[in-house]
Amino acid sequence: AGLSKFSSGITNATIAVGAIGTAAVAAAGAITAFVAGVADKFDALGDLADRVNTTVESVMRLGYVATLTGSSVEAANSSIENLSRVAGEAALGLGRGAKVFQDLGLSAKDSNGNLKDTLVLMAEIGDKIKDMGRGEQMAVLSKLGIDPTMINALTADVSGLAAEFDQLYKN
């Protein structure tokens, strides 16, 4: 009876160890998938930052601010990409964006004649439209390819949110 009880205990322990091993393998798989997903997102952010002449950190900061001001990361990223295209055309004097930049008193080029960082342009646009009526703001954003949900991220004082992101990003 004692041997049977001992044998049964060993069998149960073996099953438990097997279950722990299976759980460990599953957890390792989940961790690997998570890391791969994060790596893919960073690659995508890096590609976006390269295309729009800015840094990954700046793209992430705008996404963070956007989500806390009624928009989304997706809207921020598509707005950055669209504005970059419109700014490129405006720098050449082409497209409806050229007229909008002119009307706002902005230039798509920096003092050296290079296309400005897209997020610098976005901040300049926000500064220029903050005192306009809501309808005018929406019209400008539409002509520049900026998602209308980005209006609060562009016109409100978000310096505290940007500083909060910088603090989180440093840690």
Side-chain angles (χ1 to χ4, degrees):
L3 180 60
S4 176
K5 193 174 183 181
F6 176 76
S7 204
S8 175
I10 294 293
T11 301
N12 290 341
T14 302
I15 291 170
V17 168
I20 290 170
T22 301
V25 169
I31 290 169
T32 301
F34 173 76
V35 169
V38 169
D40 286 347
K41 286 189 192 300
F42 274 116
D43 284 346
L45 284 176
D47 291 345
L48 174 61
D50 287 344
R51 284 193 309 274
V52 301
N53 190 33
T54 194
T55 65
V56 171
E57 183 178 347
S58 295
V59 171
M60 290 171 56
R61 182 182 303 107
L62 181 63
Y64 180 80
V65 169
T67 58
L68 296 175
T69 57
S71 190
S72 68
V73 170
E74 294 79 16
N77 290 351
S78 69
S79 295
I80 294 167
E81 190 131 32
N82 292 338
L83 179 59
S84 177
R85 180 185 40 75
V86 170
E89 293 171 355
L92 298 171
L94 304 172
R96 65 182 178 185
K99 174 89 170 98
V100 175
F101 275 90
Q102 182 180 0
D103 290 348
L104 292 175
L106 296 174
S107 173
K109 295 180 179 180
D110 63 18
S111 59
N112 296 326
N114 299 317
L115 192 60
K116 287 181 182 175
D117 177 312
T118 305
L119 294 177
V120 168
L121 279 173
M122 198 169 273
E124 290 176 357
I125 292 163
D127 190 50
K128 293 289 185 175
I129 69 169
K130 71 180 174 194
D131 294 327
M132 292 179 177
R134 196 66 151 191
E136 290 175 294
Q137 290 173 335
M138 295 301 224
V140 169
L141 296 182
S142 173
K143 290 177 185 172
L144 295 175
I146 300 172
D147 191 292
T149 63
M150 293 292 295
I151 199 159
N152 291 331
L154 296 175
T155 59
D157 179 9
V158 295
S159 57
L161 296 175
E164 183 179 289
F165 171 84
D166 291 340
Q167 187 63 36
L168 292 169
Y169 190 75
K170 279 194 291 188
N171 294 333

